[in-house]
Amino acid sequence: MQTIIKVRNIKTVFGKNIVHNGLNLDIHKGNIYGLLGPSGCGKTTLLREMVLLQKYDAGFIDILGYNFSNITEKQSQHLRREWGVLFQSGALFSSLSVAQNIALGLVEYSDLSRKMIDEIVAFKINLVGLKPRDADLFPSQISGGMKKKAALARALALDPKLLFLDEPTSGLDPISAREFDSLILKLRDLLGLTIVMVSHDLRSIYDTLDRIAVIDNKQIIYEGSLDKIRDENSEFIQTFFKANT
Amino acid sequence: MNKSGLEIQQNSTTLSLDFFGDFTLYQISKYEVAIEGASYNKYGFIEINLKHVTLLDTAAALYLHSFVHKLDNKHISHTIITDKKETLDTINLTKRYHGEVLKKKKEKKSCIHKLGSYAYKHILSYLAFISFLGKLFSTKLYTIKNISQIRFKEIFFEINESGIKAIPIIALTSFLIGLVVAFQSAHQLKLYGANIFIVDMLGLSILRELAPVITAIVIAGRSGSAFTAQIGAMKITQELDAMRTMGFDPYMFLVLPRIIALMITMPILIFLADIMGILGGMIVANTNLGISTDMFLSRFLEVIHIQNFYVGIFKGPFFAFLIASIGIYRGLIVKDDTQSIGFNTTKSVVESIFAVIVCDALFSIAFTNLGI
């Protein structure tokens, strides 16, 4: 299986506080990969490092063959079109309507006609389960679940190969959360996406993930499939998976 | 990246479109032009060959979908050739989730309708401002009764933020204004040999008008905008709601301290602006008109009555109240999006400067009629 993301010996330091001390990960094509860990363990930081929002202090990250330690600005611009990112609260641009948010990447990066862009936007809106009439609403007019769906549609606008999700189901009611899970599974199957997500939602962890990495005490304490995770002798894993069953 | 392209082969009845390489949203418009250029309308049968396509994305599949739809409408028969499962899956996916594009209905409003709704909105916003003032005064009355509840810590914090930290900029601005006004009039006064009257002119204009208004404008730009942005951001992040649920009245904790602090600091800043403005004028009088500092000061004491100074200082709290209340009101009505902060901050600065100037004009009329 093709490895899309390689993380090697990542070290991150904030002031005096060491966040990561030697993280190693391999994420394969077509997988849904989860990052788990107690609050403040640096899951979101790792995710931000993977999408070039933040610099790490040692080691390297390699995504789709680009090594972040010596990536040029042109390469990183190219890479940014190859992935979609869904932020925890959606981060839709509040001055644009849902449709304009989704169309933004298409308008800026492609030379498609307006009609074609409208059609693509309508397709993505339909794909994530929004209604056509939601297209003209503004982010302040829609609910949290709709915001996440719209943000997902925006992340999918350029048909990325890779999708990063930061707590996709947090703040959603259980029904919307399960819908979101099945949506992510469906998209993976239909579009052949590789998905990396940070999640705390146990149901969504069991339902969607192929592999999981648990970060605790600055290191990865478990990496692999979900079957064997309960055998792992770690306080966090034991409490998290026992307490929630 | 794979090389991608489109080969078009034509014979008498068949047009075959042979796509190869990646077929993604970056290629669509190029292919579209090529296909339109081949005038496909003339042919009875169109063959779309996707056998050599390495990657078909959903945008390209959507394009094919609408192309095929167009062919159907023109009764041109067609076929799509592919042997890749992924390509077929993508095509089926777009078929299944093909959404309709809703045409935006643009309502046409008549001129009167627009004027009416504009006026109505303005009236509503004035009413909202009056209700804000009402709430403000009721809180003020409450604090006068319960003097121990006044948030002295916040007031002193705000005095430091919007008063003490504004000293350098206000000192510099008013110094320059004094300098410029004296410089401009020095030449004219020299023509008439009326050099000494520069003292009367500077004293009256700076103490009565320039110092208060310049200070107010600087404070409106500096603190008024800050109030709007701070409180607006607090509203978006729901901090105001959090305060309310914890029983901390925002008027008590945020609004009143800011207004009181600004009303205290403004007269002091105007006093400072008076000093610096006169100092600027004095320097020009000395260098350009040959009036020594001693002469300037003795003439100043002779012709400028103390009431001129009081008039300028007296305006301070009023200007401060206008600036602070407009800034805070604009912060409180920020809506739930980031655009709204920018909009209201702009509005707050413009409105408070406007209000200060109107208020100043009213004072001028009143003082003149009262003979002060």
Side-chain angles (χ1 to χ4, degrees):
Chain A
M1 235 189 299
Q2 197 187 339
T3 307
I4 286 195
I5 301 178
K6 272 185 225 151
V7 174
R8 291 285 177 276
N9 287 317
I10 283 295
K11 190 173 177 189
T12 313
V13 184
F14 290 150
K16 280 183 185 165
N17 180 18
I18 299 172
V19 183
H20 304 136
N21 196 0
L23 298 193
N24 291 294
L25 289 178
D26 280 296
I27 299 174
H28 301 297
K29 194 176 177 197
N31 268 358
I32 300 184
Y33 197 95
L35 296 172
L36 182 71
S39 299
C41 73
K43 303 172 297 270
T44 303
T45 309
L46 182 63
L47 199 74
R48 286 172 63 85
E49 286 169 351
M50 284 186 195
V51 294
L52 287 165
L53 280 176
Q54 204 164 322
K55 287 228 163 78
Y56 45 81
D57 294 286
F60 72 88
I61 294 179
D62 185 307
I63 293 186
L64 295 166
Y66 294 105
N67 187 337
F68 285 9
S69 299
N70 47 27
I71 193 168
T72 64
E73 186 52 35
K74 207 178 157 196
Q75 286 171 331
S76 40
Q77 272 307 87
H78 177 76
L79 196 54
R80 285 183 181 117
R81 292 194 213 171
E82 301 283 327
W83 67 47
V85 184
L86 172 65
F87 289 92
Q88 202 169 348
S89 56
L92 293 169
F93 302 118
S94 55
S95 56
L96 304 176
S97 70
V98 169
Q100 285 167 331
N101 260 292
I102 301 168
L104 194 63
L106 296 163
V107 174
E108 292 299 319
Y109 287 132
S110 75
D111 52 357
L112 296 172
S113 63
R114 193 65 239 182
K115 192 173 148 277
M116 197 63 224
I117 288 177
D118 286 344
E119 247 173 73
I120 296 174
V121 169
F123 165 71
K124 306 278 168 175
I125 283 178
N126 215 357
L127 188 67
V128 296
L130 288 172
K131 292 182 187 63
R133 64 184 148 79
D134 300 334
D136 291 328
L137 296 177
F138 283 85
S140 54
Q141 299 170 310
I142 59 179
S143 70
M146 284 162 78
K147 264 184 207 166
K148 291 224 160 157
K149 284 178 182 172
L152 184 65
R154 182 179 73 179
L156 291 171
L158 291 170
D159 270 0
K161 298 187 182 84
L162 237 177
L163 202 56
F164 293 96
L165 314 173
D166 192 357
E167 308 219 8
T169 52
S170 77
L172 298 184
D173 63 274
I175 299 167
S176 311
R178 298 295 78 80
E179 275 177 7
F180 208 92
D181 286 345
S182 54
L183 177 64
I184 287 168
L185 280 173
K186 185 174 82 181
L187 290 175
R188 190 268 303 263
D189 295 339
L190 293 174
L191 303 173
L193 295 171
T194 307
I195 298 172
V196 180
M197 66 183 202
V198 170
S199 183
H200 276 136
D201 183 339
L202 201 67
R203 272 293 294 278
S204 126
I205 288 172
Y206 274 122
D207 288 353
T208 57
L209 296 187
D210 298 316
R211 287 176 79 79
I212 189 167
V214 183
I215 307 176
D216 195 9
N217 281 328
K218 301 156 197 159
Q219 273 171 342
I220 292 189
I221 52 171
Y222 179 83
E223 205 228 345
S225 62
L226 282 158
D227 320 331
K228 292 176 200 142
I229 193 161
R230 280 153 171 264
D231 306 335
E232 190 66 30
N233 190 16
S234 140
E235 202 192 329
F236 172 75
I237 291 176
Q238 288 300 330
T239 4
F240 188 84
F241 285 91
K242 283 259 166 62
N244 286 291
T245 41
Chain B
M1 273 259 240
N2 308 346
K3 235 186 140 211
S4 57
L6 163 66
E7 245 172 54
I8 302 178
Q9 284 163 6
Q10 315 169 335
N11 55 37
S12 54
T13 53
T14 314
L15 178 75
S16 75
L17 306 170
D18 196 354
F19 296 93
F20 59 92
D22 286 354
F23 186 9
T24 63
L25 55 103
Y26 303 111
Q27 280 92 35
I28 293 173
S29 62
K30 200 168 62 190
Y31 293 169
E32 198 173 9
V33 173
I35 292 169
E36 295 291 330
S39 51
Y40 60 89
N41 289 339
K42 290 186 294 189
Y43 299 89
F45 184 73
I46 292 183
E47 183 188 83
I48 300 165
N49 189 351
L50 298 176
K51 257 187 185 167
H52 306 111
V53 167
T54 44
L55 174 78
L56 183 83
D57 74 354
T58 56
L62 268 174
Y63 167 69
L64 288 178
H65 178 86
S66 64
F67 180 61
V68 164
H69 192 71
K70 230 190 296 180
L71 294 181
D72 281 336
N73 283 346
K74 288 180 178 158
H75 306 293
I76 303 171
S77 52
H78 52 79
T79 176
I80 293 179
I81 307 167
T82 176
D83 49 6
K84 272 210 184 103
K85 197 181 157 290
E86 289 93 350
T87 312
L88 260 179
D89 283 349
T90 314
I91 290 174
N92 288 333
L93 176 74
T94 49
K95 256 185 211 154
R96 187 141 53 102
Y97 289 101
H98 182 257
E100 48 177 328
V101 182
L102 286 190
K103 284 267 148 53
K104 262 191 211 166
K105 279 176 228 154
K106 270 200 180 157
E107 280 178 63
K108 269 211 166 175
K109 288 178 188 163
S110 71
C111 189
I112 294 171
H113 184 139
K114 276 184 196 158
L115 190 69
S117 69
Y118 183 75
Y120 182 64
K121 263 186 211 156
H122 268 254
I123 289 169
L124 280 189
S125 74
Y126 283 120
L127 287 179
F129 185 61
I130 288 168
S131 98
F132 164 77
L133 288 182
K135 178 87 174 77
L136 186 63
F137 277 109
S138 71
T139 318
K140 249 188 192 168
L141 285 181
Y142 175 78
T143 48
I144 289 170
K145 267 194 190 162
N146 308 277
I147 207 93
S148 63
Q149 297 237 0
I150 290 185
R151 312 289 304 175
F152 289 105
K153 207 178 126 207
E154 275 81 6
I155 291 177
F156 287 122
F157 177 80
E158 285 304 328
I159 287 179
N160 183 36
E161 278 299 306
S162 48
I164 295 173
K165 287 186 180 170
I167 284 176
I169 183 70
I170 284 179
L172 184 64
T173 326
S174 45
F175 175 76
L176 289 176
I177 290 284
L179 208 79
V180 168
V181 170
F183 204 75
Q184 291 294 327
S185 39
H187 179 66
Q188 305 293 328
L189 289 170
K190 229 191 236 170
L191 283 181
Y192 295 99
N195 293 13
I196 194 67
F197 285 103
I198 193 152
V199 181
D200 307 43
M201 204 205 72
L202 281 178
L204 283 176
S205 62
I206 288 179
L207 293 190
R208 284 186 80 109
E209 293 296 333
L210 287 176
V213 171
I214 292 294
T215 311
I217 288 175
V218 172
I219 289 296
R222 203 180 166 278
S223 304
S225 57
F227 291 168
T228 310
Q230 281 168 358
I231 292 178
M234 288 179 85
K235 188 165 177 199
I236 286 187
T237 53
Q238 291 189 312
E239 282 173 59
L240 291 185
D241 294 344
M243 289 180 76
R244 285 201 186 95
T245 54
M246 291 164 84
F248 306 140
D249 183 11
Y251 280 81
M252 205 65 200
F253 279 70
L254 298 174
V255 178
L256 221 48
R258 283 179 166 76
I259 290 180
I260 293 175
L262 214 55
M263 286 173 82
I264 293 172
T265 47
M266 194 70 133
I268 302 170
L269 290 174
I270 292 176
F271 181 45
L272 175 79
D274 285 344
I275 297 171
M276 296 305 289
I278 297 294
L279 182 70
M282 208 150 72
I283 290 172
V284 174
N286 202 345
T287 54
N288 276 31
L289 298 172
I291 298 172
S292 69
T293 350
D294 282 345
M295 209 183 350
F296 190 98
L297 287 178
S298 64
R299 171 82 186 170
F300 196 90
L301 281 175
E302 216 172 282
V303 292
I304 307 296
H305 296 291
I306 189 71
Q307 69 200 41
N308 292 313
F309 169 71
Y310 287 143
V311 163
I313 297 292
F314 176 76
K315 290 175 181 172
F318 291 89
F319 290 175
F321 178 77
L322 286 172
I323 293 168
S325 57
I326 290 175
I328 292 166
Y329 166 72
R330 280 281 162 194
L332 288 173
I333 61 165
V334 161
K335 275 189 245 113
D336 209 6
D337 60 291
T338 44
Q339 288 271 299
S340 185
I341 290 189
F343 174 79
N344 279 301
T345 309
T346 318
K347 277 266 179 189
S348 119
V349 174
V350 173
E351 281 172 0
S352 48
I353 290 177
F354 177 71
V356 161
I357 288 172
V358 169
C359 175
D360 190 51
L362 293 177
F363 274 135
S364 277
I365 296 168
F367 288 141
T368 317
N369 285 340
L370 290 170
I372 301 171

